[in-house]
Amino acid sequence: MTAMTRILIRHEAILGILFVVVLIAMASQNDRFLTTANLLNQARLMTEVGLIAIPMTFVIVTGGIDLSVGSILGLCAILLGVFWQNLGLPLPAAIGLSLAAGTAAGFANGLIVTRFRVPPLIATLATLALYRGLAEGISQARSVRGYPDWFAVLGRGDFLGIPTQLWLFALVAALGIFILRFTTFGRTTYAIGNNEAAAEFSGLPVERTKLLIYTASGFISALAAIVFVSRVSTTRSDMGSGIELEVITAVVLGGTSIFGGRGMVIGTLIGLCLMQILQNGLSLSGVRGDGTTVVIGAVLIVAVLISNLLSRFSSD
Amino acid sequence: MTPILELKNISKAFGPVKVLTGVDFDLRPGEVHALMGENGAGKSTMIRIAAGDHRAEEGEIRLDGKPRRFAGPREAQGEGIIVVHQELLLFPALSVAENVFLGHQPKTAAGLVDWGRMRREARDLLDRLDCPNLDVDQRVSRLSVADRQRVEIARALSRNARVLIMDEPTAALAEADVRRLLEVVRRLRSEGVAIVYVSHRMNEIFEIADRVTVLRDGVSVGTRPIAEVTEASLVSMMVGRDIHQLFPKEDIPRGEKRLELRGVSLAGVVEDISFDLHAGEILGIAGLVGSGRTELAQTIFGVTPATSGEILVDGKPQKIASVREAIDAGIAYVPEDRGSHGIIRAQPLRENVSMAILDRLTKFSVVDTGREQSLATDAIKRFSIRARDARQRVGQLSGGNQQKVVLAKWLATEPKILILDEPTRGVDVGAKTEIHRLMGELAKKGLAILMISSELPEVLGMSDRVLVMREGRLSAIVDRKDASPAAVGAAMMQGRREPARAGAAR
Amino acid sequence: MSRRLTHTLGSLGQEILLVVVILALFAFVGVYNPRFLSENNLTSIFVGNAYIAVAAIGMSLVIISGNIDVSIGALIGVLAVISGLLVTNGYPIWVAWLAPLVVGAAINAVVGCLIAYARVPSIIATLAMLSILSGGLITFTGGQWISGLPAGYQLAQFRLFNVPSPVWFMIGMTILAGFLMRYTTFGRSVYAVGSNPEAARATGISYKATVVKVFAIHGAIGGVAAVLFATQLQVIQSTVPVGLELVIITASVVGGVSILGGVGTVFGSTLAAILFAAIGSSLIFLNVSAYWLRAVQGILILATVLADMARRRRTG
């Protein structure tokens, strides 16, 4: 364990304890909370945010940010409906094309950030508007319904007693953990976040890595769109708006520094779960859905404050 | 005459590292007082204390004979003590006039910024600095380095500077601009401004300074009137030992040709460079800052690929369009700016050392941490890096040990050609000797070494041949036996009006 | 003198370009459909969008100081509701007009403190605020509109010399802010902080104090925008127009305020806001679906940002 990971683990330890405390508090508040059915259902609801949070961890570790993920989700959801219903393509083909479109949208983000050197915040703020605008323009505010039953398996079905999309999420999360922790790609990601120039001077493929990360972010957002559409069995152009906030909150809450260079996928997962049970607990105790976004906002600020405080202690 | 500014018995430490110990310094009105010393001798810390940026732990500052404490730079500025920083602190997006007056703009009776007066006064100040062509409405981002420096000086004057501290003001200037700057310094002196002039350039010191103070390892070696010193005596004051004692250079037989440059250019920066470098040879590159030394090194290393010419490695033409290709061709580069290009402070030693050879340490792109660990522990042993273990973050190590980490990182690539850019900058004396010894060892093993250094003693002491650069071009290649400070210095300055005294001092 | 003139023209480049584009747009759409130039339509373009132009002034200050604020849309919504609730609960009308300014300044001063003193990046702090404000608003009002507004409250419906008051506000505030930014030491220190924070510190300008002041002023200007927004109609919607913050940011950026800080004027952002309003209206008159508006905005902001980066690379 390195000095850096020791500190991260400390952050994760704090988070883990917090998680358990909240879990106990929620369970004692409401006996419907700590049931397998409720927890699995919460995990199902968490999947879209969770999926996107994995590549977002990479993005933020490089010192960047991707605000356009929600818009990519919306655009891909709309495209799925359009390809399938309006163009009459078979649904699997529509899914494939929609995933390709999301990947292309992410690739475009990556190009703007690497080739044109636009700060990621502004680049993805612009594409946030653009992709959402395309979704609105293409859909003309019409929604698409009536997806076949087999498609609903992904979003509403179970496999081996566990929600189907959770298997997908587990796969993506495991892949994320593996890549960031053990591979040269992961190393390059950290190096870029800590000192991009030094990474370049060491011959690491800085541009290619960033391009790949933003592209992956687009692809996974499209994947989340498919899961989302399958779960609610309809497409609307406002799908996923504001999801970027939840994703970023989960990542930052999980100990990833917003300034880049440090963070782990495991932390993001804990951050996600904490957020989800907070929301669930609040709504079980009668707080309406919108009230929970207030909590998310507050939690985000507190998370960054804590992480700033921790990094002050650990700085050299 | 009472000195304007006096530093008495000043000591300062950063954590456990003592930077200044009992330093005395005084500055009289209307004098140019040169401050010299090797990198890391404590010059910049002393300047910062005088300017209220740092506080000394011991000793006192006297202003016009009265003890004074500065709570911050603003207080010192209020007393007319102004620093012209080496890295110019300007606002690129704003106009020249505004840069001169930002923070103390002339106001109208109603308390509003008086743009008319601001522009006029900026104009007057620039005229006083003899730059009638500098437009006060121009954005600073469009100015040359020399013009930016004039803006910075005008800014100091606008605050009624009584004490002007110039930190290596000529470091990035071309010859003609250096001339003009020295003119300005003379003029200010005749107006009664007291000037602290920090520079490495001997001939400037002899031309402009009235007195000179030399710092070495945080201690003042002495203050002398300029007429009482020679270039040689200054060098020995700075270095403290005889040059040849300091650099135990062994004679190593020259091996086969490793690297050859044929007419290599980087448009507008480096022009038409040709030389060759042999196994076992240490080729020093001398030249002023801004002469294109670092740019040449980074061109060979693929950071800024050459725009024309040919680079041959082991006799074969090699296309080097990226750092990766340079590494694959067997070239390694230890950069000048260690903090921003060499190390990753927040990451452990182990991950720093393996960074350039990650692709060789992997199986199916998974990093082999076992091999990485042994690579790091070997490096700690081989270079006697003082670190707790391979997991310690590099940011926590001292400058010398950080430099060894960078060396270890690049030697791990098993290069044939090693480029060292200011290898001992910001490194303590002990580590410096170790690095020099290591260079000798590596040369003996057949490595071809290209070494850039601003310290002439280092270049002369370590090199088999010295390549001198001036304004992006090769101005001379001098053999070790002919390499005297005078010969190399002359090639560095060539074309510049030499003050008689600096030449005669040899 | 002529050299000075070219400089002035040069620094006003973006503003002049915008004027030309606006005139061309009016001419083009006017020829295609003369009703576009009718007094009715022109009035509705200006009256309906003046609050955006006003808010963009504050946003310009924020971006010039090197920060960003994505919560302004939600803030306007909250302040509008506060104003409406005050007046329907019997407070004097002038209180309802002034309270949003004070509350806006106070809220954003807190945000400014988070950014300046607690080193929370502005994007994170304001994302969190967006979540807190918009969630809080809907939770509080339950989405119900406020009606029963007393006569004399509708500030935005007043006219002076037959020109609607929002237009006066837009022009007046732009001139006032332009004056503030050019002729006061505070205004100049905003440019200094955005251009080079390190150098600003060395000059004795306080980064922290400047940022807090900028955000407070931005909040007060947001209050003015909120009053204009609230007093347009006989009811106050308690939801925030979706993507309002983005329109406001886009107006600033397209108006020539550099995303990297330190550059720009408030005149450009007002012109850009007018341009957007005109584009939105002209889509209708050109028989293009209004659902494409956001996509057009996205393309505009992206094009402006890319041009800005290219220009910076050229001039260094």
Side-chain angles (χ1 to χ4, degrees):
Chain A
M1 288 293 111
T2 64
M4 187 182 78
T5 43
R6 269 202 293 272
I7 280 150
L8 282 174
I9 281 186
R10 205 168 64 197
H11 181 105
E12 273 142 21
I14 295 170
L15 214 63
I17 294 166
L18 194 63
F19 178 70
V20 173
V21 170
V22 172
L23 205 67
I24 292 168
M26 296 294 177
S28 64
Q29 282 275 313
N30 195 309
D31 49 8
R32 270 181 305 154
F33 177 75
L34 205 60
T35 58
T36 318
N38 181 48
L39 292 183
L40 282 181
N41 190 41
Q42 290 312 311
R44 193 194 287 280
L45 294 177
M46 187 180 83
T47 302
E48 291 104 37
V49 174
L51 277 172
I52 303 175
I54 306 298
M56 186 68 87
T57 307
F58 283 73
V59 171
I60 296 183
V61 167
T62 65
I65 200 157
D66 186 353
L67 297 176
S68 72
V69 288
S71 295
I72 295 179
L73 193 157
L75 179 61
C76 292
I78 288 300
L79 287 177
L80 177 68
V82 167
F83 287 140
W84 175 64
Q85 199 169 59
N86 301 34
L87 300 184
L89 294 175
L91 193 52
I95 291 173
L97 283 174
S98 174
L99 288 174
T103 311
F107 184 72
N109 282 339
L111 272 188
I112 298 168
V113 170
T114 56
R115 285 293 144 76
F116 298 98
R117 310 220 169 254
V118 177
L121 171 66
I122 297 295
T124 56
L125 197 60
T127 54
L128 178 153
L130 179 61
Y131 298 152
R132 181 69 64 193
L134 288 175
E136 285 174 357
I138 292 169
S139 75
Q140 296 293 315
R142 285 186 301 266
S143 60
V144 173
R145 289 167 194 283
Y147 289 98
D149 287 343
W150 67 262
F151 181 53
V153 171
L154 178 60
R156 278 179 290 175
D158 293 323
F159 181 70
L160 300 178
I162 287 175
T164 324
Q165 66 261 58
L166 222 50
W167 292 102
L168 188 66
F169 177 43
L171 180 72
V172 171
L175 213 61
I177 291 172
F178 175 76
I179 292 173
L180 193 57
R181 184 87 181 82
F182 296 109
T183 67
T184 44
F185 188 87
R187 279 295 174 78
T188 310
T189 308
Y190 284 115
I192 293 170
N194 277 312
N195 188 342
E196 188 165 332
E200 241 156 40
F201 271 77
S202 303
L204 297 178
V206 171
E207 275 209 359
R208 200 179 65 205
T209 304
K210 288 209 282 189
L211 192 58
L212 266 169
I213 288 174
Y214 283 95
T215 308
S217 178
F219 171 74
I220 298 289
S221 301
L223 197 61
I226 310 293
V227 173
F228 199 170
V229 171
S230 167
R231 179 161 66 84
V232 299
S233 71
T234 177
T235 57
R236 287 196 328 268
S237 64
D238 65 345
M239 276 175 137
S241 66
I243 203 174
E244 62 277 357
L245 176 69
E246 290 180 55
V247 172
I248 293 166
T249 307
V251 173
V252 174
L253 189 61
T256 300
S257 162
I258 195 71
F259 301 107
R262 34 185 99 163
M264 289 164 95
V265 175
I266 292 278
T268 299
L269 295 178
I270 301 178
L272 269 170
C273 295
L274 186 59
M275 251 172 61
Q276 190 65 35
I277 61 163
L278 257 179
Q279 280 179 321
N280 177 226
L282 285 172
S283 70
L284 282 179
S285 45
V287 178
R288 273 202 312 271
D290 303 302
T292 62
T293 56
V294 180
V295 176
I296 291 179
V299 167
L300 175 56
I301 289 184
V302 173
V304 176
L305 285 178
I306 290 172
S307 119
N308 276 358
L309 216 62
L310 282 181
S311 74
R312 205 170 294 182
F313 283 127
S314 66
S315 64
D316 4 287
Chain B
M1 199 178 351
T2 339
I4 275 197
L5 181 72
E6 250 180 306
L7 304 183
K8 291 217 153 181
N9 197 25
I10 296 285
S11 296
K12 172 83 188 171
F14 292 110
V17 188
K18 272 229 152 196
V19 190
L20 291 177
T21 322
V23 170
D24 291 328
F25 183 83
D26 69 297
L27 185 67
R28 300 170 192 153
E31 80 163 340
V32 175
H33 193 150
L35 183 60
M36 298 191 80
E38 297 194 273
N39 291 315
K43 288 170 299 180
S44 45
T45 310
M46 205 193 97
I47 291 174
R48 280 168 176 270
I49 288 172
D53 220 4
H54 284 334
R55 202 172 298 175
E57 274 122 29
E58 281 169 44
E60 67 174 3
I61 300 175
R62 284 165 173 266
L63 199 65
D64 301 315
K66 286 184 280 293
R68 190 62 216 270
R69 260 180 180 277
F70 296 127
R74 203 154 166 76
E75 267 188 46
Q77 283 168 12
E79 296 289 351
I81 301 174
I82 316 281
V83 184
V84 175
H85 290 278
Q86 200 175 349
E87 72 287 11
L88 304 169
L89 284 176
L90 293 170
F91 303 95
L94 305 181
S95 74
V96 168
E98 189 156 22
N99 267 281
V100 171
F101 282 104
L102 220 120
H104 57 283
Q105 297 101 329
K107 306 269 180 60
T108 62
L112 300 175
V113 175
D114 188 341
W115 284 86
R117 219 174 98 207
M118 192 161 100
R119 294 179 60 253
R120 273 196 311 279
E121 288 184 9
R123 180 73 273 152
D124 291 346
L125 285 170
L126 290 171
D127 287 345
R128 211 173 129 195
L129 294 178
D130 196 22
C131 17
N133 295 327
L134 197 55
D135 183 352
V136 294
D137 294 320
Q138 183 70 268
R139 264 194 204 170
V140 163
S141 62
R142 301 206 178 133
L143 300 185
S144 68
V145 177
D147 279 340
R148 287 183 197 203
Q149 191 174 53
R150 290 180 192 123
V151 173
E152 180 97 37
I153 295 172
R155 175 174 177 74
L157 295 182
S158 76
R159 292 164 175 261
N160 302 314
R162 296 197 295 150
V163 174
L164 192 60
I165 302 174
M166 305 178 89
D167 189 2
E168 299 206 33
T170 52
L173 295 192
E175 294 159 16
D177 293 318
V178 172
R179 289 279 115 220
R180 289 180 62 185
L181 181 79
L182 293 182
E183 268 317 305
V184 168
V185 172
R186 276 198 200 94
R187 193 178 302 189
L188 294 175
R189 171 170 62 188
S190 68
E191 289 171 11
V193 179
I195 294 158
V196 180
Y197 194 92
V198 182
S199 180
H200 284 299
R201 298 181 178 184
M202 287 288 180
N203 62 333
E204 273 167 27
I205 301 287
F206 281 102
E207 191 174 346
I208 199 84
D210 301 300
R211 290 191 298 159
V212 53
T213 293
V214 176
L215 292 184
R216 186 175 71 226
D217 299 334
V219 180
S220 170
V221 186
T223 301
R224 308 255 193 287
I226 199 74
E228 292 177 13
V229 291
T230 61
E231 202 167 314
S233 69
L234 276 180
V235 168
S236 65
M237 277 170 90
M238 283 196 289
V239 179
R241 274 170 280 183
D242 193 44
I243 292 177
H244 289 283
Q245 240 181 301
L246 196 62
F247 303 103
K249 171 85 178 102
E250 292 177 65
D251 266 332
I252 296 154
R254 214 183 197 210
E256 58 204 279
K257 199 190 280 180
R258 282 273 184 251
L259 177 72
E260 184 176 357
L261 267 66
R262 289 186 189 156
V264 167
S265 299
L266 176 65
V269 186
V270 174
E271 295 293 338
D272 192 25
I273 304 284
S274 302
F275 66 86
D276 49 22
L277 173 67
H278 296 255
E281 182 182 34
I282 299 177
L283 179 60
I285 302 187
L288 301 174
V289 172
S291 61
R293 302 170 309 176
T294 295
E295 290 78 1
L296 172 64
Q298 297 191 352
T299 299
I300 299 172
F301 193 57
V303 178
T304 48
T307 46
S308 65
E310 232 184 340
I311 297 177
L312 290 84
V313 177
D314 287 332
K316 286 190 286 288
Q318 192 85 40
K319 179 176 144 284
I320 297 176
S322 68
V323 173
R324 194 70 251 168
E325 284 173 7
I327 295 173
D328 292 343
I331 304 174
Y333 172 62
V334 174
E336 174 186 17
D337 187 344
R338 184 167 58 234
S340 34
H341 299 148
I343 55 164
I344 297 190
R345 308 177 67 86
Q347 288 185 3
L349 188 150
R350 189 176 70 186
E351 292 179 14
N352 270 277
V353 171
S354 68
M355 202 156 61
I357 53 160
L358 266 185
D359 53 337
R360 290 183 220 166
L361 279 183
T362 53
K363 264 190 221 119
F364 306 110
S365 112
V366 175
V367 181
D368 184 340
T369 43
R371 272 172 68 200
E372 188 181 45
Q373 178 70 27
S374 62
L375 177 79
T377 44
D378 286 354
I380 291 177
K381 230 179 283 151
R382 178 173 170 205
F383 302 103
S384 50
I385 300 172
R386 258 147 301 192
R388 208 169 44 227
D389 53 30
R391 298 187 311 232
Q392 185 167 12
R393 281 198 279 163
V394 170
Q396 297 169 333
L397 305 180
S398 74
N401 285 306
Q402 288 180 357
Q403 187 69 337
K404 289 182 197 165
V405 169
V406 180
L407 272 166
K409 163 172 128 184
W410 285 111
L411 291 175
T413 66
E414 292 167 357
K416 289 179 282 192
I417 299 151
L418 178 64
I419 309 174
L420 301 169
D421 198 346
E422 304 282 6
T424 58
R425 171 172 290 182
V427 158
D428 57 281
V429 181
K432 200 167 178 170
T433 315
E434 284 177 57
I435 289 171
H436 287 148
R437 193 178 309 127
L438 180 69
M439 284 170 66
E441 265 171 44
L442 293 171
K444 212 187 241 171
K445 282 186 190 153
L447 212 65
I449 298 177
L450 194 62
M451 179 192 67
I452 298 172
S453 176
S454 291
E455 289 178 39
L456 209 47
E458 185 174 62
V459 175
L460 299 178
M462 291 304 299
S463 314
D464 292 297
R465 286 185 298 158
V466 179
L467 196 150
V468 187
M469 287 188 73
R470 191 170 55 82
E471 298 195 322
R473 291 174 176 279
L474 199 60
S475 85
I477 297 184
V478 189
D479 263 348
R480 182 174 179 80
K481 59 179 184 340
D482 308 322
S484 65
V488 172
M492 278 160 68
M493 312 284 179
Q494 216 171 59
R496 189 178 224 182
R497 255 192 317 127
E498 286 297 312
R501 195 161 42 177
R506 287 282 82 202
Chain C
M1 205 57 219
S2 75
R3 194 200 258 170
R4 203 187 165 200
L5 188 69
T6 46
H7 271 303
T8 318
L9 285 180
S11 64
L12 282 177
Q14 193 91 354
E15 285 85 343
I16 287 174
L17 183 70
L18 279 167
V19 170
V20 172
V21 172
I22 290 171
L23 291 179
L25 182 76
F26 274 91
F28 174 74
V29 184
V31 167
Y32 184 86
N33 189 337
R35 274 185 300 131
F36 181 72
L37 294 178
S38 71
E39 197 198 327
N40 234 340
N41 188 50
L42 291 182
T43 309
S44 79
I45 288 177
F46 282 106
V47 172
N49 293 285
Y51 77 99
I52 292 174
V54 169
I57 294 169
M59 183 63 75
S60 298
L61 263 62
V62 169
I63 299 181
I64 290 171
S65 79
N67 289 290
I68 196 148
D69 177 13
V70 296
S71 69
I72 183 66
L75 183 68
I76 289 175
V78 167
L79 296 178
V81 166
I82 287 175
S83 173
L85 287 178
L86 284 174
V87 78
T88 49
N89 283 301
Y91 285 89
I93 286 172
W94 64 268
V95 172
W97 284 347
L98 287 181
L101 278 67
V102 178
V103 177
I107 291 177
N108 268 11
V110 173
V111 176
C113 286
L114 276 177
I115 294 163
Y117 291 93
R119 296 188 309 146
V120 179
S122 58
I123 178 68
I124 295 295
T126 58
L127 258 179
M129 278 315 281
L130 166 65
S131 168
I132 292 171
L133 292 172
S134 61
L137 180 65
I138 299 176
T139 312
F140 185 72
T141 64
Q144 290 214 311
W145 292 18
I146 299 170
S147 54
L149 301 169
Y153 172 70
Q154 271 76 16
L155 183 66
Q157 294 174 8
F158 294 170
R159 280 172 177 254
L160 183 65
F161 306 123
N162 205 30
V163 175
S165 70
V167 178
W168 288 114
F169 272 102
M170 180 174 86
I171 295 171
M173 303 257 324
T174 304
I175 292 172
L176 198 68
F179 185 81
L180 176 88
M181 290 303 281
R182 177 142 180 95
Y183 288 105
T184 65
T185 41
F186 166 73
R188 299 325 290 174
S189 51
V190 177
Y191 282 98
V193 160
S195 180
N196 187 347
E198 179 60 23
R201 198 191 69 88
T203 316
I205 294 168
S206 163
Y207 172 82
K208 293 172 180 173
T210 307
V211 168
V212 173
K213 279 186 213 160
V214 162
F215 269 85
I217 292 173
H218 170 53
I221 296 175
V224 176
V227 172
L228 292 177
F229 175 69
T231 58
Q232 277 179 28
L233 308 167
Q234 302 304 325
V235 293
I236 299 173
Q237 308 166 23
S238 59
T239 50
V240 189
V242 180
L244 178 59
E245 61 281 345
L246 210 61
V247 179
I248 294 169
I249 292 171
T250 311
S252 281
V253 173
V254 173
V257 175
S258 170
I259 43 174
L260 301 177
V263 181
T265 67
V266 294
F267 300 104
S269 68
T270 300
L271 289 168
I274 294 172
L275 175 64
F276 286 161
I279 290 175
S281 169
S282 58
L283 287 184
I284 300 164
F285 284 86
L286 294 171
N287 295 323
V288 177
S289 155
Y291 289 114
W292 286 106
L293 180 60
R294 279 240 265 176
V296 173
Q297 282 169 356
I299 288 168
L300 263 180
I301 188 169
L302 200 56
T304 316
V305 166
L306 290 178
D308 185 31
M309 293 312 289
R311 196 165 49 206
R312 275 184 178 247
R313 213 172 307 170
R314 222 177 31 246
T315 60

